[in-house]
Amino acid sequence: MQRIRIRYTKEGRVRFVSARDLTSVWERALRRADLPIAYSEGFNPHAKVSFPDALPVGYASTGEYAELTFAAPIDPGPDLGRLSATLPGGMDITTYLEVPDGAPKLAKMLGATLWELVLPEADEDAATAQVDRLRDASDELVAATSAEVLRLRPNGEEKPIDVRPALLALRAFLRPADTGGALHPTLRAVLRNDGPTVRPTDLFTALTSRRDPAADRGASPPPSDAPADALPTPRVHRRVAQGEPLDGGLREALSGEVVPLEPARSAEAA
Amino acid sequence: MTPPPALLQIAPPVDRAAVRRAVDPETPPSYFEALEPFLPSVKKPAQYVGGEHNQTFKPWGSADVRWLLNYPDAYEVGQPNQGIQILYEILNERPTTLAERSYAPWVDLEAIMREHGIPTFSLENHHPLWAFDVFAVTLPHELAHTNLLNLLDLGGIPVRSAKRTADDPIVLVGGHAAYNPEPLAPFIDAAVMGDGEEVTLEIDDVVRAWKREDGRDRHALLKRLAGVEGVYIPAFYEARYTDDGRLKATVAVEPGVPAIVPKRTVQDLEQWQYPKKQIVPMTEVVHERFSVEIFRGCTRGCRFCQAGMITRPVRERKPETISNLVREGLKNTGFEEVGLLSLSSADHADIGTIARDLADEYEGTATSLSLPSTRVDAFNVTLSNELARNGRRTGLTFAPEAGSERMRGVINKMVSEEDMLRTAEIAFANGWRHCKLYFMVGLPTETDEDVLAIADLSIKVYEIARKHGHKNKVTTSVGGFVPKPHTPFQWVAQDTPEEIHRKLKLIRHAIKDHSGLKLRTNDPEEGVIEGLLGRGDRRVAAAVERAWELGARMDGWHEMPTLDTWMQALEETDVPLARYSYRDRDEDEVLPWDHLDSGLEKAWLWQDWQESLSGDEVDDCRWTPCYDCGVCPGLDIAHDTGYDAANATLPVVPSGLGGGGLPIMPARITDRA
Ligand code: B12
Ligand code: SF4
């Protein structure tokens, strides 16, 4: 048995494929690539592809991970290249690592996630104003010891979540949009993966609801209280990478590369 | 029921003609960006994004003729349909033609589309319906008629064909419900009965020529389409009625169009080995498997079965072709399951060999095989054993269809009680743990005794099940019979839903002491709409339109009980349901589909109906002498089977079955499509 861990992307249309459906997407791609994936025993055998966690439907990612177990050895470079080519558009294998026996569990290597929230494009003035607001809110949030928000569950109940313990680092910056001159206010944050799950949406709620530090801590104001110049909701939620948290970023789990909080080619740096 | 979205008209841009003629690959607009922000908040968003493996992606400007193919229901039920996938491949193989796919949005997305002006879109490029030349819709049954109107309206084109201009696509329908398109006559431009492979290409030629030569005169295009064999243009025919409201005739009123439109039949399936590169869904659909149609048609002659009647004659694929299609198909899709599809798969002349070879080839792999067959005989159990080599022996399905032997004689499904019990004995002795039994109530001449016989037979099978294992289960499924056009039962009265409910209650009461025997029933209410649309005439169209306006859609979904809406629409439009559905018709009544020729002689159907009253069975004409139903002489072809009496691999008269029409039915209820 050969175990290989991979990092892959989930961008574009496949973002809307649920974690549950993803299993068969992988199984079928592995069969098309004709790779000797191992199957579980039993009457209803399943390909041995395991995922450390599930990405919410609609989120983009360049930091998805999976562990594949093969019944016979493969030649990872070309074979995984073939697999990557037959995956649906938007899914690409970007890194792989053969796992020696006794290696720690994949989830152990993914201690933290670098998230990215991209706001809709805006002209320079508006975008700068938004980024300034995000920065103020970020400073406040980082300085606080706790930041409770209410998350609406599918059953309509609200669940209180403290965002602060999971937050390791946070940065707001501007990034050039595809269309000339416009900019995307962007937020990147490193959140710990252990402990209670904090979603990037919870983080954004915490940022946008912390207008008055003196206000009753934790309760997010009802929407009617939202200021007229409320920040627009992010257009893209992206899981950039996972790995070990570092000062100013993250060490990606499989490649060891450092992924910075603020990418070098953001608009301000340019 | 979720309140229907208000009907906000989606307006196409005025210059859509320019878009339709465009050679610029950038046009028309893609609505993906408009759709994207709403996707996280709708149910099963992956159904709307396309991008599945094996989809064909052609630049707009590369084609002269652009088709939008549609299954007018949710993606999860429409995606597995083979008809759309076949036409998709055939059309896209033409360098000058482009075909994209679409399905019906669920009501949650529909509300968003209406609010934000997002039109009916294709999955490949999210192009709007109004930009295509042909909107080709499959109608496998009647419960998607309102969805069709909804898709047109959402797509920015007039719901009534009379209001369409040269800027609008041609609305073309096919599939089984197109054998009586009269209730949709004002909404469609053209209908085709029968196999779509050849006629689709002929239509494509006509549209291409018209666009090149003129492209402005819609009437001229329809006229040219009417010249293609098998293309029916409802606007060129007029339904005439007597003073007391009976149909007198449907007559051609446009010079030069045929008085009677025939169905199309592909004679040699071997020449049409499609679909080869089946779309691999990325989200859950009802059938996730590589399906190979092993033959087309059915000759069992079950009198209630429209599919069996209208798809005659039988045309089989060769075992080598089947195994090649399977091998190639698995390679290019990665599916883990193979389905041998047809109306009664155990009837292929070489099914024994086919099953054995496939089982040998895939033994020990993760590939599983399925054969939706419900024949009540030992051979079926043997076949299932073979195909289940790789897996668990969970469930087998048998369809005696009626409880009493008398009733089975009437419907021409001759299985004796002894056959059923012996088959059950063999199945459970072979280690199968669950049997499903399919029945119908509401059949012609049925008495309560016949109904109770369903309970009786089920209990007997259940007792056999328990004898072989304490945990063994039996499920009895009972549906209400809906008479369909082009069948021997096209003249009979349908039971009212109240009557069906009463009969189901009789069964429920009779089995109540057997807790491991489960009863599953369909909504008798759905049958009301299905029956009305199945045998309705053009006057029913007003009710279809009204029901849609009042919010009826997704009529086949349990989650969407639309019967009350329909009842209101029928009242407002003065459509007398009882006249259409709850009345026996007599021999010389003119039927709304009399000008549409399915190949079956009306006289033969009548005779068969009369014979059913005495319980006379008709043999399977694949194996026994022809009984002149009309199909073969009319089409100048005969059943194309590999059957050779000297080397038969299939028991023609399976042991102990007593001969006669072999009982079979495709699949489970969900498979029964
Ligand atoms: C796969 C299947 C399903 C699947 C997929 C959906 C579907 N209907 O295809 C599932 C399981 C979801 C399903 C469900 C149902 N099904 Co179904 N299904 C089938 C099955 C087994 C195969 C369909 C198929 O792919 N055929 C092969 C293709 C090649 O044939 P085709 O689709 O007819 O297309 C050809 C021509 O008709 C024509 N054509 C078709 N469309 C068009 C359009 C144009 C414009 C043109 C020019 C030509 C054209 O060209 C094609 C190539 O020649 C058939 C039985 C059978 N063997 O046909 C039943 C069948 C179609 N289903 C049937 C029924 C009743 C249902 C259900 C209503 C059952 C239920 N009570 O739940 C549901 C309805 C689902 C829904 N809401 O739409 C019936 C229809 C009855 C009838 N009128 O004859 C059938 C015939 C089964 C039967 N024996 O009774 N079904
Ligand atoms: S065997 Fe099935 S498909 Fe054939 S006629 Fe009978 S019910 Fe119809």
Side-chain angles (χ1 to χ4, degrees), chain B residues 336-352:
Chain B
E336 42 290 287
E337 187 177 336
V338 176
L340 301 180
L341 183 103
S342 77
L343 285 168
S344 56
S345 292
D347 282 353
H348 191 293
D350 288 316
I351 191 65

Side-chain angles (χ1 to χ4, degrees), chain A residues 211-244:
Chain A
R211 288 182 299 117
D212 179 6
D216 192 10
R217 200 190 298 140
S220 41
S224 54
D225 283 6
D229 60 340
L231 286 166
T233 38
R235 225 16 214 301
V236 179
H237 295 87
R238 176 175 289 112
R239 178 143 81 177
V240 179
Q242 302 184 56
E244 185 194 329

